[in-house]
Amino acid sequence: MTELPVDLLAKSASTGMKEVFSTMLGLEVEPGPPQTQHDRLESFGGIMALVGIGGAWTGAGRLLISPKMACTLAGALLMSTFEGVDEEVLDAIGEIANMVVGGTKTILEEELGPLSLSIPTVIFGKNYSTHSGKVHDWLVLPFHCGGEQIELRFCLMPTHANARAGFQMEAQHI
Amino acid sequence: MLDVMIVDDSAAIRKILRRVLDQTDLVIDKVHEAGDGLEALELLKTNTVQLILCDINMPNMDGIELLQRLKAQEDLRSVPVMMVTTEGSQARVMQALELGAAGYVKKPFTAAQIKEKLTGLV
């Protein structure tokens, strides 16, 4: 497989998200319509948790939320109350992203082959930009939770060896 | 009375697992926390534990390597190690179990799942 299976990715990510929110946070999330967005330099604000994906396919998963939502989610995870974003909140959001991307990865592996995850990185700030080398498209998945929006983004591309194997398979069919 | 070690690079998960341990019937004297495999080995030089809850994906030394090191040490190989991790790939799970992990719980988890897995382990 050398084309990004968008439907599979959207379904897997939605399942992963719902599972983490219901099991660990006791919260419901409503998925919105997914869309594909070309990678471009754009400004972000708030909290972005990133988890890299490697293996047969390479890319990343990103969870984007507001500081207020971060405090709500960290509070639900740790059964505590947070008035502002601190190290404990950022650690909790990193772990939530890790579980969401990990759950998505586990479902995707059935179709895409073995994948691995990086350790999560969490960015918190105002008006920052990101750039991912050689990434063309992101699958953007909006979710609604308690009146706020949570955004999950994925980019995935076949690794060189996987793409070569795909081309060889296609060549054999000619 | 048991001494337990939680090995996970997330402070949030260590806190949640502490809370779950408090809800079990286990009589726990002390819970030691380590952020990775290297920290765990360092703590185990001066502390004796009867149970380890361990993540797989961690910086510096992951849970698989820690498990290998524990099973290679005469005084530590009998300590039950329960893997608690986002790692859902069958290959990694099998690797951990073949190395001697006492069990496996996938994140996200419920307190009931952890309690059930710990029943009869120590």
Side-chain angles (χ1 to χ4, degrees), chain A residues 8-60:
Chain A
L8 173 69
L9 181 53
K11 197 176 165 189
S12 307
S14 187
T15 304
M17 188 84 170
K18 284 179 178 174
E19 193 183 3
V20 170
F21 273 65
S22 63
T23 310
M24 299 296 287
L25 309 176
L27 296 170
E28 295 296 319
V29 281
E30 265 312 305
Q35 56 177 302
T36 307
Q37 184 180 300
H38 197 72
D39 187 54
R40 62 174 191 264
L41 208 58
E42 61 180 312
S43 293
F44 294 98
I47 292 163
M48 181 188 287
L50 293 151
V51 181
I53 300 170
W57 289 65
T58 188

mmCIF file of all heavy atoms in Angstrom, chain A residues 8-60:
data_model
loop_
_atom_site.group_PDB
_atom_site.id
_atom_site.type_symbol
_atom_site.label_atom_id
_atom_site.label_comp_id
_atom_site.label_asym_id
_atom_site.label_seq_id
_atom_site.Cartn_x
_atom_site.Cartn_y
_atom_site.Cartn_z
ATOM 1 N N LEU A 8 -9.481 4.963 6.397
ATOM 2 C CA LEU A 8 -8.993 4.088 7.472
ATOM 3 C C LEU A 8 -8.366 4.921 8.590
ATOM 4 O O LEU A 8 -8.614 4.690 9.779
ATOM 5 C CB LEU A 8 -7.968 3.089 6.909
ATOM 6 C CG LEU A 8 -7.244 2.223 7.940
ATOM 7 C CD1 LEU A 8 -8.200 1.216 8.568
ATOM 8 C CD2 LEU A 8 -6.065 1.489 7.303
ATOM 9 N N LEU A 9 -7.561 5.909 8.206
ATOM 10 C CA LEU A 9 -6.898 6.764 9.189
ATOM 11 C C LEU A 9 -7.931 7.555 10.003
ATOM 12 O O LEU A 9 -7.837 7.630 11.235
ATOM 13 C CB LEU A 9 -5.929 7.711 8.472
ATOM 14 C CG LEU A 9 -5.111 8.669 9.330
ATOM 15 C CD1 LEU A 9 -4.367 7.942 10.424
ATOM 16 C CD2 LEU A 9 -4.129 9.452 8.471
ATOM 17 N N ALA A 10 -8.935 8.115 9.319
ATOM 18 C CA ALA A 10 -9.968 8.902 10.014
ATOM 19 C C ALA A 10 -10.747 8.023 10.992
ATOM 20 O O ALA A 10 -11.000 8.417 12.135
ATOM 21 C CB ALA A 10 -10.910 9.529 8.988
ATOM 22 N N LYS A 11 -11.082 6.820 10.554
ATOM 23 C CA LYS A 11 -11.853 5.911 11.405
ATOM 24 C C LYS A 11 -11.010 5.438 12.607
ATOM 25 O O LYS A 11 -11.489 5.396 13.740
ATOM 26 C CB LYS A 11 -12.288 4.702 10.562
ATOM 27 C CG LYS A 11 -13.400 3.902 11.177
ATOM 28 C CD LYS A 11 -13.839 2.797 10.227
ATOM 29 C CE LYS A 11 -14.684 1.789 10.983
ATOM 30 N NZ LYS A 11 -14.957 0.599 10.202
ATOM 31 N N SER A 12 -9.756 5.099 12.339
ATOM 32 C CA SER A 12 -8.858 4.630 13.409
ATOM 33 C C SER A 12 -8.625 5.722 14.446
ATOM 34 O O SER A 12 -8.660 5.475 15.653
ATOM 35 C CB SER A 12 -7.506 4.204 12.824
ATOM 36 O OG SER A 12 -7.678 3.280 11.797
ATOM 37 N N ALA A 13 -8.387 6.953 13.957
ATOM 38 C CA ALA A 13 -8.120 8.070 14.866
ATOM 39 C C ALA A 13 -9.353 8.384 15.710
ATOM 40 O O ALA A 13 -9.239 8.673 16.905
ATOM 41 C CB ALA A 13 -7.692 9.300 14.069
ATOM 42 N N SER A 14 -10.512 8.322 15.093
ATOM 43 C CA SER A 14 -11.751 8.606 15.816
ATOM 44 C C SER A 14 -11.982 7.563 16.910
ATOM 45 O O SER A 14 -12.347 7.896 18.045
ATOM 46 C CB SER A 14 -12.918 8.616 14.821
ATOM 47 O OG SER A 14 -14.080 9.046 15.447
ATOM 48 N N THR A 15 -11.713 6.298 16.581
ATOM 49 C CA THR A 15 -11.849 5.216 17.566
ATOM 50 C C THR A 15 -10.857 5.409 18.711
ATOM 51 O O THR A 15 -11.211 5.291 19.888
ATOM 52 C CB THR A 15 -11.613 3.841 16.892
ATOM 53 O OG1 THR A 15 -12.520 3.716 15.805
ATOM 54 C CG2 THR A 15 -11.798 2.691 17.854
ATOM 55 N N GLY A 16 -9.603 5.723 18.352
ATOM 56 C CA GLY A 16 -8.557 5.933 19.362
ATOM 57 C C GLY A 16 -8.912 7.076 20.296
ATOM 58 O O GLY A 16 -8.750 6.981 21.518
ATOM 59 N N MET A 17 -9.399 8.160 19.725
ATOM 60 C CA MET A 17 -9.768 9.360 20.497
ATOM 61 C C MET A 17 -10.913 9.049 21.467
ATOM 62 O O MET A 17 -10.835 9.372 22.663
ATOM 63 C CB MET A 17 -10.191 10.432 19.490
ATOM 64 C CG MET A 17 -10.419 11.770 20.086
ATOM 65 S SD MET A 17 -8.891 12.679 20.260
ATOM 66 C CE MET A 17 -9.553 14.271 20.695
ATOM 67 N N LYS A 18 -11.969 8.430 20.945
ATOM 68 C CA LYS A 18 -13.134 8.130 21.783
ATOM 69 C C LYS A 18 -12.761 7.188 22.929
ATOM 70 O O LYS A 18 -13.241 7.338 24.052
ATOM 71 C CB LYS A 18 -14.235 7.494 20.931
ATOM 72 C CG LYS A 18 -14.975 8.477 20.052
ATOM 73 C CD LYS A 18 -16.019 7.741 19.240
ATOM 74 C CE LYS A 18 -16.827 8.676 18.374
ATOM 75 N NZ LYS A 18 -17.741 7.965 17.480
ATOM 76 N N GLU A 19 -11.918 6.201 22.630
ATOM 77 C CA GLU A 19 -11.525 5.210 23.630
ATOM 78 C C GLU A 19 -10.762 5.871 24.788
ATOM 79 O O GLU A 19 -11.041 5.617 25.958
ATOM 80 C CB GLU A 19 -10.667 4.119 22.974
ATOM 81 C CG GLU A 19 -10.478 2.903 23.854
ATOM 82 C CD GLU A 19 -9.561 1.856 23.229
ATOM 83 O OE1 GLU A 19 -9.022 2.096 22.134
ATOM 84 O OE2 GLU A 19 -9.380 0.814 23.865
ATOM 85 N N VAL A 20 -9.815 6.741 24.452
ATOM 86 C CA VAL A 20 -9.019 7.408 25.490
ATOM 87 C C VAL A 20 -9.900 8.336 26.324
ATOM 88 O O VAL A 20 -9.831 8.339 27.560
ATOM 89 C CB VAL A 20 -7.843 8.197 24.861
ATOM 90 C CG1 VAL A 20 -7.157 9.084 25.896
ATOM 91 C CG2 VAL A 20 -6.831 7.240 24.243
ATOM 92 N N PHE A 21 -10.739 9.120 25.655
ATOM 93 C CA PHE A 21 -11.577 10.084 26.375
ATOM 94 C C PHE A 21 -12.594 9.389 27.284
ATOM 95 O O PHE A 21 -12.823 9.828 28.407
ATOM 96 C CB PHE A 21 -12.265 11.047 25.390
ATOM 97 C CG PHE A 21 -11.400 12.224 25.062
ATOM 98 C CD1 PHE A 21 -10.195 12.054 24.381
ATOM 99 C CD2 PHE A 21 -11.744 13.504 25.447
ATOM 100 C CE1 PHE A 21 -9.359 13.124 24.105
ATOM 101 C CE2 PHE A 21 -10.918 14.589 25.169
ATOM 102 C CZ PHE A 21 -9.732 14.397 24.490
ATOM 103 N N SER A 22 -13.198 8.318 26.800
ATOM 104 C CA SER A 22 -14.209 7.659 27.644
ATOM 105 C C SER A 22 -13.555 6.860 28.771
ATOM 106 O O SER A 22 -14.023 6.884 29.912
ATOM 107 C CB SER A 22 -15.121 6.768 26.794
ATOM 108 O OG SER A 22 -14.377 5.734 26.206
ATOM 109 N N THR A 23 -12.451 6.152 28.484
ATOM 110 C CA THR A 23 -11.828 5.280 29.484
ATOM 111 C C THR A 23 -11.031 6.052 30.530
ATOM 112 O O THR A 23 -11.161 5.789 31.721
ATOM 113 C CB THR A 23 -10.891 4.260 28.794
ATOM 114 O OG1 THR A 23 -11.593 3.631 27.745
ATOM 115 C CG2 THR A 23 -10.390 3.215 29.777
ATOM 116 N N MET A 24 -10.198 6.978 30.081
ATOM 117 C CA MET A 24 -9.272 7.637 31.016
ATOM 118 C C MET A 24 -9.802 8.966 31.555
ATOM 119 O O MET A 24 -9.371 9.420 32.615
ATOM 120 C CB MET A 24 -7.920 7.904 30.333
ATOM 121 C CG MET A 24 -7.187 6.672 29.839
ATOM 122 S SD MET A 24 -6.654 5.505 31.119
ATOM 123 C CE MET A 24 -5.287 6.327 31.905
ATOM 124 N N LEU A 25 -10.694 9.627 30.798
ATOM 125 C CA LEU A 25 -11.120 10.968 31.201
ATOM 126 C C LEU A 25 -12.594 11.029 31.598
ATOM 127 O O LEU A 25 -13.030 12.026 32.182
ATOM 128 C CB LEU A 25 -10.867 11.974 30.060
ATOM 129 C CG LEU A 25 -9.464 11.989 29.449
ATOM 130 C CD1 LEU A 25 -9.397 12.952 28.283
ATOM 131 C CD2 LEU A 25 -8.433 12.373 30.493
ATOM 132 N N GLY A 26 -13.349 10.008 31.248
ATOM 133 C CA GLY A 26 -14.783 10.025 31.533
ATOM 134 C C GLY A 26 -15.509 11.109 30.748
ATOM 135 O O GLY A 26 -16.477 11.690 31.217
ATOM 136 N N LEU A 27 -15.015 11.417 29.545
ATOM 137 C CA LEU A 27 -15.611 12.475 28.714
ATOM 138 C C LEU A 27 -16.016 11.915 27.355
ATOM 139 O O LEU A 27 -15.397 10.973 26.847
ATOM 140 C CB LEU A 27 -14.597 13.609 28.494
ATOM 141 C CG LEU A 27 -14.141 14.395 29.728
ATOM 142 C CD1 LEU A 27 -12.972 15.310 29.365
ATOM 143 C CD2 LEU A 27 -15.281 15.217 30.300
ATOM 144 N N GLU A 28 -17.024 12.527 26.795
ATOM 145 C CA GLU A 28 -17.471 12.138 25.455
ATOM 146 C C GLU A 28 -16.920 13.128 24.435
ATOM 147 O O GLU A 28 -16.890 14.333 24.692
ATOM 148 C CB GLU A 28 -19.002 12.151 25.377
ATOM 149 C CG GLU A 28 -19.673 11.114 26.277
ATOM 150 C CD GLU A 28 -19.347 9.682 25.880
ATOM 151 O OE1 GLU A 28 -19.327 9.401 24.665
ATOM 152 O OE2 GLU A 28 -19.095 8.858 26.776
ATOM 153 N N VAL A 29 -16.497 12.629 23.289
ATOM 154 C CA VAL A 29 -16.083 13.519 22.186
ATOM 155 C C VAL A 29 -16.931 13.208 20.964
ATOM 156 O O VAL A 29 -17.220 12.048 20.678
ATOM 157 C CB VAL A 29 -14.589 13.380 21.813
ATOM 158 C CG1 VAL A 29 -13.707 14.114 22.774
ATOM 159 C CG2 VAL A 29 -14.159 11.941 21.671
ATOM 160 N N GLU A 30 -17.327 14.280 20.277
ATOM 161 C CA GLU A 30 -18.126 14.143 19.047
ATOM 162 C C GLU A 30 -17.243 14.476 17.849
ATOM 163 O O GLU A 30 -16.745 15.598 17.746
ATOM 164 C CB GLU A 30 -19.297 15.136 19.069
ATOM 165 C CG GLU A 30 -20.600 14.582 19.584
ATOM 166 C CD GLU A 30 -21.009 13.248 18.989
ATOM 167 O OE1 GLU A 30 -21.100 13.143 17.748
ATOM 168 O OE2 GLU A 30 -21.239 12.320 19.763
ATOM 169 N N PRO A 31 -17.012 13.531 16.955
ATOM 170 C CA PRO A 31 -16.169 13.860 15.795
ATOM 171 C C PRO A 31 -16.911 14.720 14.771
ATOM 172 O O PRO A 31 -18.110 14.543 14.546
ATOM 173 C CB PRO A 31 -15.839 12.479 15.206
ATOM 174 C CG PRO A 31 -16.901 11.570 15.705
ATOM 175 C CD PRO A 31 -17.449 12.135 16.965
ATOM 176 N N GLY A 32 -16.184 15.666 14.183
ATOM 177 C CA GLY A 32 -16.718 16.476 13.090
ATOM 178 C C GLY A 32 -16.228 15.907 11.776
ATOM 179 O O GLY A 32 -15.530 14.883 11.768
ATOM 180 N N PRO A 33 -16.570 16.543 10.660
ATOM 181 C CA PRO A 33 -16.141 16.015 9.361
ATOM 182 C C PRO A 33 -14.626 16.176 9.142
ATOM 183 O O PRO A 33 -14.108 17.278 9.324
ATOM 184 C CB PRO A 33 -16.934 16.855 8.350
ATOM 185 C CG PRO A 33 -17.347 18.073 9.095
ATOM 186 C CD PRO A 33 -17.413 17.730 10.543
ATOM 187 N N PRO A 34 -13.939 15.087 8.776
ATOM 188 C CA PRO A 34 -12.493 15.209 8.518
ATOM 189 C C PRO A 34 -12.227 15.934 7.212
ATOM 190 O O PRO A 34 -13.065 15.919 6.317
ATOM 191 C CB PRO A 34 -12.031 13.744 8.432
ATOM 192 C CG PRO A 34 -13.240 12.942 8.157
ATOM 193 C CD PRO A 34 -14.428 13.715 8.595
ATOM 194 N N GLN A 35 -11.092 16.591 7.130
ATOM 195 C CA GLN A 35 -10.707 17.224 5.867
ATOM 196 C C GLN A 35 -9.203 17.104 5.668
ATOM 197 O O GLN A 35 -8.453 16.970 6.633
ATOM 198 C CB GLN A 35 -11.147 18.682 5.841
ATOM 199 C CG GLN A 35 -10.629 19.501 7.006
ATOM 200 C CD GLN A 35 -11.035 20.960 6.897
ATOM 201 O OE1 GLN A 35 -10.720 21.620 5.927
ATOM 202 N NE2 GLN A 35 -11.744 21.451 7.895
ATOM 203 N N THR A 36 -8.805 17.142 4.409
ATOM 204 C CA THR A 36 -7.378 17.086 4.099
ATOM 205 C C THR A 36 -6.881 18.506 3.874
ATOM 206 O O THR A 36 -7.535 19.296 3.216
ATOM 207 C CB THR A 36 -7.149 16.242 2.829
ATOM 208 O OG1 THR A 36 -7.777 14.983 3.009
ATOM 209 C CG2 THR A 36 -5.663 16.005 2.587
ATOM 210 N N GLN A 37 -5.728 18.805 4.470
ATOM 211 C CA GLN A 37 -5.177 20.161 4.330
ATOM 212 C C GLN A 37 -3.719 20.088 3.893
ATOM 213 O O GLN A 37 -2.935 19.360 4.500
ATOM 214 C CB GLN A 37 -5.284 20.892 5.678
ATOM 215 C CG GLN A 37 -4.822 22.333 5.621
ATOM 216 C CD GLN A 37 -4.958 23.007 6.968
ATOM 217 O OE1 GLN A 37 -6.053 23.101 7.530
ATOM 218 N NE2 GLN A 37 -3.846 23.454 7.510
ATOM 219 N N HIS A 38 -3.391 20.821 2.851
ATOM 220 C CA HIS A 38 -2.008 20.847 2.369
ATOM 221 C C HIS A 38 -1.114 21.500 3.426
ATOM 222 O O HIS A 38 -1.524 22.485 4.042
ATOM 223 C CB HIS A 38 -1.946 21.618 1.048
ATOM 224 C CG HIS A 38 -0.686 21.356 0.293
ATOM 225 N ND1 HIS A 38 -0.444 20.153 -0.334
ATOM 226 C CD2 HIS A 38 0.408 22.128 0.082
ATOM 227 C CE1 HIS A 38 0.754 20.217 -0.902
ATOM 228 N NE2 HIS A 38 1.286 21.391 -0.661
ATOM 229 N N ASP A 39 0.066 20.934 3.619
ATOM 230 C CA ASP A 39 0.976 21.487 4.634
ATOM 231 C C ASP A 39 1.401 22.900 4.247
ATOM 232 O O ASP A 39 1.831 23.138 3.122
ATOM 233 C CB ASP A 39 2.216 20.599 4.786
ATOM 234 C CG ASP A 39 3.088 21.059 5.933
ATOM 235 O OD1 ASP A 39 2.563 21.175 7.049
ATOM 236 O OD2 ASP A 39 4.289 21.332 5.711
ATOM 237 N N ARG A 40 1.231 23.828 5.144
ATOM 238 C CA ARG A 40 1.644 25.208 4.893
ATOM 239 C C ARG A 40 2.047 25.841 6.221
ATOM 240 O O ARG A 40 1.676 25.349 7.289
ATOM 241 C CB ARG A 40 0.512 25.995 4.243
ATOM 242 C CG ARG A 40 -0.729 26.101 5.108
ATOM 243 C CD ARG A 40 -1.769 27.024 4.485
ATOM 244 N NE ARG A 40 -2.824 27.315 5.439
ATOM 245 C CZ ARG A 40 -3.984 26.666 5.497
ATOM 246 N NH1 ARG A 40 -4.217 25.667 4.667
ATOM 247 N NH2 ARG A 40 -4.888 26.982 6.385
ATOM 248 N N LEU A 41 2.816 26.895 6.100
ATOM 249 C CA LEU A 41 3.239 27.598 7.309
ATOM 250 C C LEU A 41 2.038 28.362 7.854
ATOM 251 O O LEU A 41 1.506 29.244 7.190
ATOM 252 C CB LEU A 41 4.373 28.566 6.956
ATOM 253 C CG LEU A 41 5.367 28.896 8.057
ATOM 254 C CD1 LEU A 41 6.049 27.657 8.589
ATOM 255 C CD2 LEU A 41 6.393 29.886 7.546
ATOM 256 N N GLU A 42 1.564 27.981 9.025
ATOM 257 C CA GLU A 42 0.426 28.689 9.607
ATOM 258 C C GLU A 42 0.687 28.918 11.093
ATOM 259 O O GLU A 42 1.451 28.183 11.724
ATOM 260 C CB GLU A 42 -0.881 27.917 9.389
ATOM 261 C CG GLU A 42 -0.914 26.544 10.017
ATOM 262 C CD GLU A 42 -2.235 25.816 9.758
ATOM 263 O OE1 GLU A 42 -3.293 26.429 9.960
ATOM 264 O OE2 GLU A 42 -2.190 24.638 9.386
ATOM 265 N N SER A 43 0.039 29.914 11.616
ATOM 266 C CA SER A 43 0.256 30.259 13.024
ATOM 267 C C SER A 43 -0.677 29.470 13.933
ATOM 268 O O SER A 43 -1.839 29.279 13.608
ATOM 269 C CB SER A 43 -0.001 31.745 13.238
ATOM 270 O OG SER A 43 0.986 32.471 12.556
ATOM 271 N N PHE A 44 -0.117 29.004 15.023
ATOM 272 C CA PHE A 44 -0.902 28.297 16.028
ATOM 273 C C PHE A 44 -0.766 29.029 17.355
ATOM 274 O O PHE A 44 0.186 29.760 17.580
ATOM 275 C CB PHE A 44 -0.384 26.865 16.219
ATOM 276 C CG PHE A 44 -0.558 25.976 15.020
ATOM 277 C CD1 PHE A 44 0.490 25.757 14.139
ATOM 278 C CD2 PHE A 44 -1.771 25.354 14.762
ATOM 279 C CE1 PHE A 44 0.342 24.945 13.033
ATOM 280 C CE2 PHE A 44 -1.939 24.546 13.664
ATOM 281 C CZ PHE A 44 -0.872 24.335 12.792
ATOM 282 N N GLY A 45 -1.712 28.785 18.230
ATOM 283 C CA GLY A 45 -1.634 29.293 19.595
ATOM 284 C C GLY A 45 -2.251 28.264 20.508
ATOM 285 O O GLY A 45 -3.151 27.546 20.095
ATOM 286 N N GLY A 46 -1.757 28.185 21.721
ATOM 287 C CA GLY A 46 -2.289 27.186 22.645
ATOM 288 C C GLY A 46 -1.330 26.025 22.797
ATOM 289 O O GLY A 46 -0.112 26.226 22.832
ATOM 290 N N ILE A 47 -1.870 24.836 22.860
ATOM 291 C CA ILE A 47 -1.046 23.657 23.148
ATOM 292 C C ILE A 47 -1.099 22.672 21.998
ATOM 293 O O ILE A 47 -2.165 22.352 21.479
ATOM 294 C CB ILE A 47 -1.516 23.003 24.462
ATOM 295 C CG1 ILE A 47 -1.179 23.961 25.613
ATOM 296 C CG2 ILE A 47 -0.861 21.647 24.691
ATOM 297 C CD1 ILE A 47 -1.893 23.691 26.871
ATOM 298 N N MET A 48 0.082 22.232 21.587
ATOM 299 C CA MET A 48 0.193 21.221 20.540
ATOM 300 C C MET A 48 1.042 20.072 21.071
ATOM 301 O O MET A 48 2.183 20.279 21.475
ATOM 302 C CB MET A 48 0.851 21.815 19.287
ATOM 303 C CG MET A 48 0.986 20.819 18.148
ATOM 304 S SD MET A 48 1.968 21.461 16.777
ATOM 305 C CE MET A 48 0.835 22.626 16.064
ATOM 306 N N ALA A 49 0.465 18.879 21.099
ATOM 307 C CA ALA A 49 1.222 17.686 21.512
ATOM 308 C C ALA A 49 1.517 16.861 20.268
ATOM 309 O O ALA A 49 0.611 16.553 19.494
ATOM 310 C CB ALA A 49 0.413 16.877 22.509
ATOM 311 N N LEU A 50 2.763 16.555 20.063
ATOM 312 C CA LEU A 50 3.222 15.861 18.858
ATOM 313 C C LEU A 50 3.761 14.477 19.190
ATOM 314 O O LEU A 50 4.528 14.324 20.141
ATOM 315 C CB LEU A 50 4.391 16.619 18.231
ATOM 316 C CG LEU A 50 4.140 17.989 17.631
ATOM 317 C CD1 LEU A 50 5.399 18.819 17.739
ATOM 318 C CD2 LEU A 50 3.776 17.818 16.171
ATOM 319 N N VAL A 51 3.355 13.495 18.411
ATOM 320 C CA VAL A 51 3.922 12.147 18.559
ATOM 321 C C VAL A 51 4.342 11.679 17.168
ATOM 322 O O VAL A 51 3.515 11.631 16.248
ATOM 323 C CB VAL A 51 2.891 11.158 19.166
ATOM 324 C CG1 VAL A 51 3.513 9.783 19.338
ATOM 325 C CG2 VAL A 51 2.372 11.668 20.506
ATOM 326 N N GLY A 52 5.603 11.368 17.013
ATOM 327 C CA GLY A 52 6.114 10.905 15.715
ATOM 328 C C GLY A 52 5.762 9.443 15.476
ATOM 329 O O GLY A 52 5.624 8.659 16.414
ATOM 330 N N ILE A 53 5.587 9.102 14.203
ATOM 331 C CA ILE A 53 5.280 7.720 13.821
ATOM 332 C C ILE A 53 6.361 7.247 12.854
ATOM 333 O O ILE A 53 6.746 7.974 11.943
ATOM 334 C CB ILE A 53 3.884 7.642 13.143
ATOM 335 C CG1 ILE A 53 2.801 8.138 14.094
ATOM 336 C CG2 ILE A 53 3.583 6.218 12.670
ATOM 337 C CD1 ILE A 53 1.429 8.329 13.450
ATOM 338 N N GLY A 54 6.851 6.029 13.074
ATOM 339 C CA GLY A 54 7.870 5.466 12.195
ATOM 340 C C GLY A 54 7.527 4.037 11.837
ATOM 341 O O GLY A 54 6.532 3.493 12.288
ATOM 342 N N GLY A 55 8.361 3.432 11.007
ATOM 343 C CA GLY A 55 8.126 2.044 10.606
ATOM 344 C C GLY A 55 7.820 1.962 9.130
ATOM 345 O O GLY A 55 8.434 2.660 8.315
ATOM 346 N N ALA A 56 6.859 1.125 8.754
ATOM 347 C CA ALA A 56 6.506 0.959 7.346
ATOM 348 C C ALA A 56 5.979 2.268 6.750
ATOM 349 O O ALA A 56 6.083 2.515 5.555
ATOM 350 C CB ALA A 56 5.453 -0.140 7.207
ATOM 351 N N TRP A 57 5.377 3.081 7.592
ATOM 352 C CA TRP A 57 4.926 4.419 7.217
ATOM 353 C C TRP A 57 5.523 5.407 8.196
ATOM 354 O O TRP A 57 5.799 5.066 9.347
ATOM 355 C CB TRP A 57 3.395 4.515 7.265
ATOM 356 C CG TRP A 57 2.713 3.752 6.169
ATOM 357 C CD1 TRP A 57 2.727 2.402 5.995
ATOM 358 C CD2 TRP A 57 1.958 4.292 5.084
ATOM 359 N NE1 TRP A 57 2.010 2.063 4.876
ATOM 360 C CE2 TRP A 57 1.516 3.207 4.301
ATOM 361 C CE3 TRP A 57 1.583 5.583 4.710
ATOM 362 C CZ2 TRP A 57 0.745 3.374 3.148
ATOM 363 C CZ3 TRP A 57 0.814 5.754 3.582
ATOM 364 C CH2 TRP A 57 0.405 4.664 2.800
ATOM 365 N N THR A 58 5.726 6.641 7.741
ATOM 366 C CA THR A 58 6.328 7.631 8.627
ATOM 367 C C THR A 58 5.481 8.906 8.640
ATOM 368 O O THR A 58 4.830 9.226 7.651
ATOM 369 C CB THR A 58 7.784 7.928 8.212
ATOM 370 O OG1 THR A 58 8.394 8.733 9.194
ATOM 371 C CG2 THR A 58 7.869 8.614 6.864
ATOM 372 N N GLY A 59 5.477 9.606 9.744
ATOM 373 C CA GLY A 59 4.688 10.824 9.864
ATOM 374 C C GLY A 59 4.538 11.233 11.306
ATOM 375 O O GLY A 59 5.458 11.023 12.119
ATOM 376 N N ALA A 60 3.397 11.792 11.642
ATOM 377 C CA ALA A 60 3.177 12.274 13.007
ATOM 378 C C ALA A 60 1.698 12.451 13.293
ATOM 379 O O ALA A 60 0.889 12.563 12.373
ATOM 380 C CB ALA A 60 3.896 13.611 13.214
#
